Amino acid sequence: MQRRAMLKGCAAAVAVPMFAAACDVLDGSAKAVEELAFDPGAFTVETKTVATFERDKKVTYQFYESVVYVAKPVDKAYQSLSVSVPVEIDGATIDASKAPILLSNSVGGYLSSSVTSREPDDGGARAKNRDLALAAGYVVVESGARGRDLVAPDGTYQGVAPAAIVDLKAAVRYLRHNSGRVPGNTDRIVATGVSAGGALSALLATSGDSGMYDRYLADLGAADASDAVFAAAPYCPITDLEHADMAYEWNWGANPLRPGELDAAASRELSTAFTEYQASLELRGKNGFGRLTTGNYGSYLVRTYLAPAATAYLTALPDADRSSYLADNTWITWAGDRAEFAWPDFLAHVGARKKGVPAFDAFDLSSAENNEFGGGTVEARHFTLFSLRHATGDPAAQLDSDLPEKISMMNPMFFLRQRNPGRAKHWWIRVGTKDTDTALTIVSNLAASLENLGDDVDAAMYWDAGHGSNEDAADFIEWIGRVTGYAG
Ligand code: DHB
């Protein structure tokens, strides 16, 4: 409203040329929004060779570097994106003007992330998808965001929750605002990320067009456009943070930590609390499994994700290697064409867990997540009553009053419980079976929540794979083409 009024006043001044310059200066807000226009000519031409499933492909693409996506950035180094548009693949000209857009955030560890320079292919999950998407003729947007390490000269933490998700929403709004100027179909944005970035891609895709972030977006001078995305592909999302300690102890509570001792009493208490949380979600398992509870969740994971992952892995092995794997892992029964095993044996196979107790809201405030929920000039805070009360010894202690809303603003499960209509309806969710950065239930509860809402979910696990793995990138690229209806 306010912006429109200012533009009108400005238009009158522009009619008299001598006032036009003054209008530019006076009407900073309107000018700022104008600055959010994407310049289609501001690219360099780059080439790269991409090893695809079939063969190496030479891709020529237009590269738009360090495009600032908000009018009033706090730090341009992070609040900018890059755009890669394929124009030639193996010598054949291609037109990506209507192609799906793979929007890949580069967040890791909830730290600040920058895309201000050309990133080499580091063999990581993100780089693999980015390069294969380009070679498939899709537009790739890589977005940076502020993170928990960003501190102003006065000591204020500028990138703690909800800064990263606000930035990614601003990036989506920028793309939508520039629909027709920015190459690709801005109604077919597929958000992806890995780990903390996976969590943020899931959050971006579940919270589309929620008004909760409006005041933060307005402060940044974000474009006035929809921030809903079409699809999402979170890899090993570190999410549902305020319930992740309970889930972790239920899942990995019996697994040893190296080195050091685990606080068995705290582990038991957290694990017990998970039963009530899981029940409160009222989720149904896939394929008519019924209500998911801590009583049946182990067998649900085996049946739905773990045994199929083991089966796929073992099926792909040459006979001799399969025999040798099975000889080393006698807890797995190979029933001709599929693997069978029990949940406790799977847990023993995974072995040492990565994190202590509690895994996320550390008693000593030392975790990445404690910092992510810092605020003002305070570097780290508790974000669960369990850890706050345990650490302070005060059974009546309460979270800082600004935290409950911020915690919700960081949690895709919050938006799924609300059935947010602006959420993405197509999902590709992946995690490795040996990834103990968070509980496997975090990932399967995300999938089940979406499935229960009737969304299109392709969720799977990679057998024996650790944190950040991506073992079916070619299938993901094909999936993007299918769900977006893009013929190429
Ligand atoms: C990441 C990993 C973690 O274990 C965590 O707690 C937060 C973020 C990451 O790799 O991004």
Side-chain angles (χ1 to χ4, degrees):
M1 260 334 212
Q2 208 180 352
R3 204 183 84 216
R4 221 165 279 137
M6 273 192 281
L7 282 169
K8 225 190 270 166
C10 211
V14 172
V16 186
M18 63 184 289
F19 293 120
C23 173
D24 263 6
V25 174
L26 289 174
D27 191 356
S29 165
K31 185 161 184 285
V33 170
E34 190 53 35
E35 279 167 6
L36 289 178
F38 180 81
D39 178 0
F43 61 82
T44 56
V45 176
E46 313 278 334
T47 59
K48 69 166 73 173
T49 301
V50 179
T52 75
F53 186 65
E54 310 156 308
R55 60 173 193 281
D56 282 4
K57 290 188 181 177
K58 188 179 169 212
V59 183
T60 305
Y61 61 103
Q62 296 171 339
F63 186 64
Y64 300 80
E65 188 170 11
S66 301
V67 181
V68 178
Y69 55 68
V70 287
K72 295 184 274 180
V74 174
D75 194 327
K76 287 183 189 178
Y78 306 119
Q79 293 169 308
S80 58
L81 52 79
S82 72
V83 183
S84 299
V85 186
V87 288
E88 211 179 274
I89 297 173
D90 280 345
T93 302
I94 63 142
D95 173 11
S97 59
K98 301 279 190 308
I101 298 173
L102 181 66
L103 172 61
S104 179
N105 76 65
S106 47
V107 177
Y110 286 102
L111 294 163
S112 299
S113 59
S114 176
V115 290
T116 50
S117 60
R118 289 161 188 74
E119 281 180 87
D121 180 352
D122 58 0
R126 282 185 57 243
K128 213 187 274 184
N129 285 345
R130 174 196 65 199
D131 291 351
L132 286 176
L134 270 189
Y138 307 156
V139 172
V140 176
V141 174
E142 292 170 272
S143 179
R146 287 168 298 161
R148 62 189 171 87
D149 53 317
L150 188 64
V151 190
D154 70 356
T156 306
Y157 283 81
Q158 292 181 308
V160 293
I165 185 61
V166 172
D167 286 356
L168 295 178
K169 282 176 173 288
V172 174
R173 287 179 175 216
Y174 176 87
L175 294 173
R176 274 262 166 64
H177 173 73
N178 282 293
S179 186
R181 276 190 295 253
V182 72
N185 184 348
T186 57
D187 287 331
R188 291 291 180 273
I189 295 174
V190 181
T192 190
V194 181
S195 196
L200 287 163
S201 68
L203 180 58
L204 187 61
T206 49
S207 67
D209 288 338
S210 163
M212 281 175 86
Y213 307 85
D214 282 351
R215 65 184 191 279
Y216 294 93
L217 288 159
D219 284 348
L220 294 175
D224 187 7
S226 167
D227 55 56
V229 298
F230 182 76
Y235 288 79
C236 51
I238 303 291
T239 196
D240 200 8
L241 297 174
E242 68 271 34
H243 304 109
D245 290 330
M246 309 172 186
Y248 199 91
E249 296 315 317
W250 178 83
N251 191 156
W252 307 121
N255 291 55
L257 174 74
R258 257 190 325 245
E261 295 293 317
L262 292 175
D263 180 340
S267 174
R268 256 194 319 274
E269 227 180 302
L270 283 163
S271 175
T272 301
F274 183 61
T275 296
E276 194 178 321
Y277 171 62
Q278 185 62 44
S280 79
L281 293 175
E282 300 185 346
L283 294 176
R284 282 172 285 106
K286 218 149 100 159
N287 303 322
F289 188 84
R291 184 62 52 85
L292 289 173
T293 68
T294 50
N296 62 25
Y297 216 141
S299 35
Y300 180 70
L301 285 169
V302 171
R303 176 203 291 213
T304 312
Y305 294 108
L306 301 170
T311 297
Y313 172 84
L314 288 165
T315 304
L317 286 182
D319 288 351
D321 293 351
R322 185 187 317 115
S323 299
S324 130
Y325 188 95
L326 290 167
D328 289 345
N329 293 277
T330 51
W331 56 281
I332 300 178
T333 304
W334 185 245
D337 58 355
R338 74 202 141 81
E340 290 173 359
F341 50 85
W343 171 244
D345 291 333
F346 164 76
L347 292 174
H349 170 68
V350 171
R353 57 191 259 170
K354 185 169 179 177
K355 297 186 172 179
V357 186
F360 292 88
D361 191 352
F363 292 147
D364 65 359
L365 293 170
S366 61
S367 77
E369 289 74 16
N370 290 129
N371 182 198
E372 175 63 7
F373 288 111
T377 56
V378 179
E379 181 179 2
R381 293 189 289 179
H382 288 297
F383 53 95
T384 65
L385 290 179
F386 176 83
S387 290
L388 174 71
R389 292 175 177 178
H390 192 287
T392 59
D394 174 2
Q398 294 294 337
L399 300 179
D400 284 357
S401 62
D402 64 308
L403 272 176
E405 188 190 31
K406 285 176 181 160
I407 291 167
S408 296
M409 289 170 85
M410 293 303 292
N411 194 342
M413 297 296 282
F414 169 80
F415 293 97
L416 291 174
R417 289 178 101 162
Q418 288 194 332
R419 304 170 165 259
N420 177 29
R423 72 181 186 279
K425 307 296 194 304
H426 301 276
W427 291 78
W428 178 271
I429 302 173
R430 292 293 184 272
V431 68
T433 62
K434 279 196 170 171
D435 186 340
T436 63
D437 275 55
T438 195
L440 297 175
T441 58
I442 295 288
V443 180
S444 60
N445 274 343
L446 174 66
S449 301
L450 292 156
E451 284 154 3
N452 286 191
L453 291 176
D455 296 344
D456 162 31
V457 184
D458 185 324
M461 297 188 186
Y462 304 125
W463 186 247
D464 276 355
H467 193 54
S469 40
N470 174 8
E471 299 188 348
D472 54 357
D475 294 341
F476 172 52
I477 299 303
E478 208 179 287
W479 177 87
I480 295 176
R482 199 166 59 243
V483 299
T484 61
Y486 186 61

